[in-house]
Amino acid sequence: MSYYKWRKLVLKRDKKTCQVCGKKTNLQAHHLFDRTHYPNKKFKVDNGITLCSKCHRVFHTDYKKHFKDKCTKYDFDNFLRIIEYVKGFKCMLKI
């Protein structure tokens, strides 16, 4: 499977909606388990989640930068818990 086919299937499954903020524009497919360290999961649809470009950036630059190891689904789940916790402060996250 190619990256483009994988991306299309992930976005279709998620109804072309960011799974963090609900936006429907500037969508990207994020690998829950990173491609480099988990090549066998690279094109598994259940290893993807649809994010808008802003939520994807927040995850990789503002959250993930604190970790030096590989990115996993558990890191992303923790990120979602933090987002839920501070949802009343959306302006702080610039989402």
Side-chain angles (χ1 to χ4, degrees):
M1 179 182 305
S2 72
Y3 168 79
Y4 298 102
K5 175 77 171 166
W6 173 82
R7 179 185 182 279
K8 183 177 180 179
L9 290 171
V10 170
L11 270 63
K12 181 179 179 182
R13 182 206 57 211
D14 294 339
K15 297 178 174 63
K16 296 185 178 177
T17 303
C18 176
Q19 298 301 293
V20 175
C21 71
K23 288 183 182 175
K24 294 184 175 282
T25 57
N26 299 316
L27 299 176
Q28 302 174 352
H30 169 73
H31 287 90
L32 296 169
F33 287 90
D34 75 66
R35 301 174 298 191
T36 304
H37 294 96
Y38 301 94
N40 59 324
K41 296 180 182 282
K42 186 175 184 176
F43 295 129
K44 302 280 187 194
V45 175
D46 63 350
N47 184 41
I49 190 166
T50 302
L51 301 176
C52 70
S53 59
K54 285 185 180 183
C55 289
H56 203 191
R57 178 188 51 77
V58 168
F59 176 73
H60 281 290
T61 61
D62 297 344
Y63 174 78
K64 189 64 178 116
K65 71 179 177 183
H66 301 291
F67 301 94
K68 301 273 187 247
D69 59 348
K70 43 196 160 191
C71 179
T72 68
K73 180 183 183 311
Y74 312 109
D75 295 323
F76 191 78
D77 288 345
N78 191 48
F79 169 71
L80 289 178
R81 280 191 292 280
I82 291 168
I83 291 292
E84 285 300 315
Y85 181 74
V86 295
K87 223 169 197 165
F89 303 100
K90 284 173 89 172
C91 62
M92 289 176 58
L93 296 175
K94 297 183 177 81
I95 293 179

